[in-house]
Amino acid sequence: MTLTTCTHPKTASAPDGPAVGMRATARILAAARSGTTTLPVLDGDGPFELRRLHSHGAQARVCIVGAMSAPLGGDRLRIEATVQQGAALHVTSAAATLALRGPTSEHATYDVHLTVGEHAQLHWLPKPLICAAGSDLHQTWTIDLASTARLVLREEQILGRAGEPSGHVATRLTVRRGGRTLLDQQAAYGPGEPGWDGPAILAGHRATGQLLTVDPAFEEITPDVQLLGDAPQDGQAVLTPLAGPATLVTAAAPDSLRLRRLLGTAQNTYRQPLTDLGPVRGRDVGPPRADCRPTRA
Amino acid sequence: MSRAALLVLADGRFPAGGHAHSGGAEPAVAAGRIKDAHSLEDFCRGRLHTAGLVAAALAAATAAGRDPVAVDEAADARTPVLALRITARKLGRQMMRAARATWPSAELDALAAARPQGAHQPVVLGLAARSAGLTPLDAGYAAAYEAVSGPATAAVRLLSLDPFDATAVLARLAPDLDQTATAAAATAARISDEGFDALPAASAPLLDITAQQHATWPVRLFAS
């Protein structure tokens, strides 16, 4: 991590001036070794402290713990995780990520690069991102999957803390599978985005999220569309198959609690098929769980 | 080329089946989210800068001569909801029939053969524009305008909205339409350097969710 502090406020707003804020890159490498998954690289950096949790069968588990307030304006944050052939990794976070304005009006970036090899699987289930009033975050998810890789990815965005207006957030999620683009999706919410809170995009909802499941088994059985959510005032979601072997749940809800309920319902739907697909190197992988109890071996 | 071809292509009476689709306006009216000219304008602005921008960029890229089948795959990756992919291909098939009759070309024939069930409508629209001798910017305008004219026309029928008010909404969106078409043509021009990632992928959660819900309605006025 490098921490560049700026004591001169004018430097902060100079477009070509030195970057203000923190630069940090955390790295995780998961590898299959004799029937289990090891973590040859587990390098935290800056705000990302990486804790290894108890393995679950052959699946290694990691919890991202926020070591300091981030992202703030001007921060350049990055997480890279690679799951090598045959390995299984489950990543969660201990607390929500809170984007704040920070000392400069410059936006923050938060880039997540995930690579999953042949017959490997990754569950990436962090807690929500909260976009506090005045924050400005550009987030990218760049995901490369081998054609036999499996992925469960959840992302949740909470637009403003209780009772405050939303910050600005722009995200791009690009998922490639076997080198072809499976899903490419941008979202932009908050001040300055035309129509973001209007009837076509969010219509007053303050929580939105997605659950992406990529599984080669979906090449044989195309999953059915599902409409989720009971009363419209509690939020709405749909699960639909993508053009490739994957499903995407798209949800919009008034708040984080009701968003989590919708996504939780959707996640239960696919818990079974994923575990049924079989063991990673002869061991049961078990259902995905979002809890995060740090352990010291 | 004749610029007037753009008027023929963008005319609501062009026989490509668009009149049967509300562009998400029907479920938004039913949910009470579109209830007057003001909320219609909000809806149209949001749709224009998300689904409209993507459609305009796909159309501009095809009009610029990019491989229509590759653009069609880029459209699939940008359309996660099944109901919207089905609608886009159905409209593409209808647009293909109209375009081949209006501006016959070998490129239209080739795409029709490669995608017998229909390519995504903006791809066919872009190829129709190309066959008519129009520019990528023209194709972007046609797609962007369609993204808002459909819902505005549907709202007149669904809400008994005054047609003058609906047309005034479209007129107020003119600067946004200029911006969207220009951005679409600019991204299409960047494909040669950046690949198809240069194309925008803007999404709108409620358009996606309600499109799939609407597809299950037993009785509806519009097909989408």
Side-chain angles (χ1 to χ4, degrees):
Chain A
M1 165 188 95
T2 55
L3 189 63
T4 319
T5 48
C6 176
T7 49
H8 200 283
K10 281 187 177 162
T11 319
S13 54
D16 300 320
V20 174
M22 181 167 45
R23 281 162 196 274
T25 301
R27 292 186 177 85
I28 305 171
L29 176 64
R33 296 275 184 280
S34 29
T36 187
T37 298
T38 61
L39 299 171
V41 177
L42 192 64
D43 290 345
D45 190 15
F48 306 119
E49 188 182 317
L50 303 179
R51 257 181 227 171
R52 176 153 201 177
L53 309 180
H54 274 307
S55 292
H56 198 286
Q59 183 187 57
R61 296 189 156 220
V62 171
C63 181
I64 302 168
V65 181
M68 58 181 85
S69 184
L72 306 179
D75 285 355
R76 300 285 177 264
L77 308 180
R78 187 177 167 99
I79 298 184
E80 298 170 3
T82 299
V83 189
Q84 290 181 339
Q85 182 169 356
L89 177 66
H90 179 285
V91 177
T92 182
S93 62
T97 301
L98 180 63
L100 291 165
R101 182 182 185 280
T104 150
S105 59
E106 200 187 338
H107 70 263
T109 65
Y110 187 171
D111 299 314
V112 180
H113 286 250
L114 307 176
T115 307
V116 189
E118 299 289 353
H119 303 287
Q121 58 169 280
L122 173 63
H123 287 78
W124 191 271
L125 304 166
K127 293 229 161 51
L129 166 71
I130 302 170
C131 304
S135 66
D136 187 3
L137 178 66
H138 294 193
Q139 182 166 28
T140 64
W141 299 80
T142 309
I143 302 173
D144 271 297
L145 305 175
S147 36
T148 54
R150 288 181 267 160
L151 173 77
V152 179
L153 174 90
R154 185 182 65 214
E155 70 153 344
E156 295 165 283
Q157 294 159 347
I158 313 303
L159 302 168
R161 291 168 293 193
E164 73 175 11
S166 177
H168 178 259
V169 59
T171 65
R172 185 163 198 161
L173 167 66
T174 309
V175 183
R176 272 180 260 276
R177 178 176 175 272
R180 295 161 70 96
T181 306
L182 173 68
L183 175 65
D184 198 344
Q185 195 167 54
Q186 291 171 296
Y189 309 123
E193 294 296 342
W196 76 274
D197 202 21
I201 303 182
L202 284 179
H205 292 96
R206 283 290 174 271
T208 175
Q210 308 202 100
L211 179 71
L212 171 68
T213 306
V214 184
D215 196 317
F218 292 153
E219 278 178 316
E220 310 299 321
I221 321 144
T222 304
D224 291 330
V225 165
Q226 287 183 39
L227 307 180
L228 305 158
D230 303 320
Q233 67 271 19
D234 289 333
Q236 309 170 64
V238 295
L239 181 155
T240 75
L242 299 185
T247 61
L248 184 72
V249 178
T250 303
D255 53 44
S256 60
L257 196 67
R258 283 178 274 191
L259 177 68
R260 173 52 62 89
R261 202 174 297 146
L262 282 169
L263 292 177
T265 308
Q267 204 168 337
N268 287 336
T269 310
Y270 280 107
R271 191 166 286 192
Q272 208 50 42
L274 270 171
T275 50
D276 276 356
L277 275 179
V280 171
R281 303 220 166 174
R283 299 282 297 274
D284 183 27
V285 166
R289 287 169 54 183
D291 60 339
C292 183
R293 280 188 289 274
T295 55
R296 302 274 179 199
Chain B
M1 73 163 255
S2 162
R3 197 65 180 279
L6 178 57
L7 299 176
V8 178
L9 182 63
D11 190 332
R13 286 160 294 188
F14 188 75
H19 63 277
H21 295 261
S22 77
E26 185 167 26
V29 167
R33 286 196 282 265
I34 299 179
K35 50 186 186 296
D36 51 21
H38 181 261
S39 45
L40 172 65
E41 184 172 338
D42 271 359
F43 177 89
C44 288
R45 181 168 285 112
R47 184 165 199 258
L48 176 61
H49 287 278
T50 52
L53 174 64
V54 174
L58 294 167
T62 313
R66 294 287 148 198
D67 173 12
V69 172
V71 182
D72 194 56
E73 285 172 6
D76 260 350
R78 286 161 175 75
T79 317
V81 170
L82 179 64
L84 289 174
R85 288 198 301 276
I86 292 172
T87 297
R89 292 195 182 283
K90 191 158 75 180
L91 282 169
R93 200 163 62 233
Q94 290 172 297
M95 169 66 74
M96 178 62 84
R97 286 179 60 195
R100 287 171 89 183
T102 316
W103 298 287
S105 78
E107 287 179 324
L108 282 169
D109 294 345
L111 179 59
R115 288 283 185 271
Q117 301 304 309
H120 280 256
Q121 191 267 2
V123 180
V124 185
L125 176 66
L127 201 57
R130 182 175 168 82
S131 300
L134 293 166
T135 66
L137 179 63
D138 294 333
Y141 265 104
Y145 180 64
E146 195 175 69
V148 292
S149 62
T153 310
V156 170
R157 290 172 64 187
L158 292 161
L159 283 174
S160 303
L161 194 68
D162 188 331
F164 291 158
D165 290 339
T167 305
V169 164
L170 294 176
R172 282 197 295 274
L173 288 168
D176 291 68
L177 285 161
D178 288 336
Q179 189 193 335
T180 303
T182 307
T187 57
R190 297 209 319 262
I191 294 174
S192 50
D193 290 335
E194 300 171 26
F196 287 100
D197 286 358
L199 293 175
S203 66
L206 284 178
L207 285 181
D208 281 353
I209 294 167
T210 60
Q212 194 66 62
Q213 292 170 340
H214 181 260
T216 66
W217 290 13
V219 179
R220 52 188 197 241
L221 197 54
F222 290 90
S224 78

